[in-house]
Amino acid sequence: MADIDNVNLLFLRRVRGIAPLSRFAVGLSGSLVAAVPDELEVRTSHIARFEGNGRSKIQETFSVETLRKVEIAADLTHYLGTTEDDLYLFRDGKKSRFLPDRRVSYTDVALAEDGSRFICAFCDMMQSVSTIALGERTGRLLWHKDIGFEVSRVALTRSGEFLVVAGQGGELHLMDGSRKTIYTHRQDAPIAAVATLGPDRTVFACSGDDENTGGVGCVGPGGGLLWFTELLGEPIELALSDAGTIAVLLATDVSSGRLIFLSDDGLPVWDFDFDEARPSGLSVSADGSHAAVTLKDGTLALYELHLSERLSTLSDAVALSEARHTIDSGNLIGAVRLLRGRLIEAPSDLGCAALLTETLTALTARLTIEAQSAEAVGDWRAADASFSQALDESPFDPKLPAERAALRQRWHRSAVAEGRRALAAGNAPAAERAFLEAIEADPLQTEARSALGEARASAATFAIEAGKRHLALGETADALRALTEARRRGATDTETGDILRQARVADALSLGNTLYNDRQYAAALFQFKKVLRLDPRNSEALQKVGYAQNFLSDNQLSERFSRLE
């Protein structure tokens, strides 16, 4: 468990227009990378590398409109930036747009340290649905997932193996690269910044009741809150090193801010005030030895942190007293981590060893009560998360595996019963969700999988009937969505395929006619040819193809005469 002994300022520079630092901008040696605008050319920016002495060198140049956020890979081979409604990828001197065919509004983006993958959050233009998407450095979309809350921030681990999604309602979801949710956590305040090391530790910063208050919290394995520290100021950014160094950047006024370093158990240990400008960006190196900050006025500052193994230098009495103080504050998990760290550094400390046993017993009892309370209100995931956390902290407790297995069996039976009720009531989507939850509770049971097949078949039938109704009313877009949903749920018969093809023909024909009437003949021709690909004998499409081609020929002839004149 490292502690910060001392902090030194290595350099402070003014770089007009410098972009806020990306999350992994600072390297192990103290060098850092940042995006800076060209002093003469509009829409032109540079990727510059700053050494520990403040000297800089331009590494890359790119041209694009003003970016709201820039994320840069450590080797500078890949970087990306967002505007309000575009995400640009830069690689090998070229730029491309991510998801160019979708009109969305981007909320946040995060890039892995090596640039191999990135996560972004966006919502549709109506601000009704929040979505996250995982992409590769080539711009290829790996997957996307709709999120049931308004996303405020996203973050990746340095390797890109795990990602965390935070919400305006205080939601926090940790997921792996295959979209699997590892755990969920919920706060009562909007989350303004987040950073993660994966399942072992995630830290977040949230706003308080007014603009001048906030706080930083730490979530451990299973989604349990390890500690929460209230701080003065509005959280701007958060950084977390692999060594456990926590840094938080806060705005204390419209024109001032503060950088605070926290210990492993959430205690503020160092802080710096910025009296002349509001902070904008923050980055900490992987080993926690360097941290950098950007301010709104173009200030770039690099700090050197001196770390030490604090627990190895404490006496037995002081270490025991600190652990008891942590226990008295109600932070049992923090006490367990402190005691384990102490015993790694001082294996002969019998007092801390006895206190660790006592604390683990109390923690297991508390987590068991939390699991029982969650089960009583039907929150099975929270109950399972409590048992999972108890097992992580006390893996040698002989009773915990059996108790968790019994909980999962009850969870499975409850979810199957809920699914059966929903299926009997004709609510196939709810039944499907319940049976999937039952499978999550006990993947080896076949009853839920068999019932899931019934629910999916029922949902597919319902979607097909809805698609037919929409098609009869001329609502081709709704018909397509319903029929596509039916195919996704396993309706692969010939009749469904024929109806889906009819819907695609009707949709393309409707769009083609709209474009044709709007005199967008090239786009209309594309739609009419799409109709003929699906239905080669469609008389209306055949006729409109001829008309559109004639209009395009006339336009081209008119343009030739204009050029001759």
Side-chain angles (χ1 to χ4, degrees), residues 420-456:
R420 293 289 187 196
R421 289 193 296 271
L423 199 58
N427 190 347
E432 185 177 0
R433 288 193 298 270
F435 291 134
L436 285 171
E437 187 174 333
I439 292 171
E440 178 187 349
D442 192 346
L444 299 181
Q445 291 284 353
T446 58
E447 179 185 3
R449 296 186 185 277
S450 176
L452 177 62
E454 298 177 31
R456 290 175 68 87

Side-chain angles (χ1 to χ4, degrees), residues 519-522 548-563:
R519 299 184 180 183
Q520 300 182 46
Y521 299 118
Q549 287 174 335
N550 288 336
F551 277 118
L552 286 172
S553 298
D554 291 344
N555 287 342
Q556 290 171 357
L557 184 61
S558 175
E559 288 176 4
R560 287 197 202 101
F561 279 116
S562 297
R563 286 196 294 270

Side-chain angles (χ1 to χ4, degrees), residues 5 42 69 90 124 158-159 161 163 182 192 227 243 279 343 423 440 543 551:
D5 279 346
V42 180
K69 184 174 184 179
F90 302 91
D124 57 22
R158 290 181 182 271
S159 64
E161 183 181 1
L163 60 101
I182 308 299
W227 50 260
L343 290 172
L423 199 58
E440 178 187 349
Q543 184 183 53
F551 277 118

Side-chain angles (χ1 to χ4, degrees), residues 366-387 407:
R366 175 188 290 183
L367 291 172
T368 301
I369 292 172
E370 289 179 1
Q372 292 169 349
S373 300
E375 180 180 351
V377 297
D379 192 348
W380 295 98
R381 282 193 179 87
D384 184 63
S386 293
F387 271 119
L407 169 77

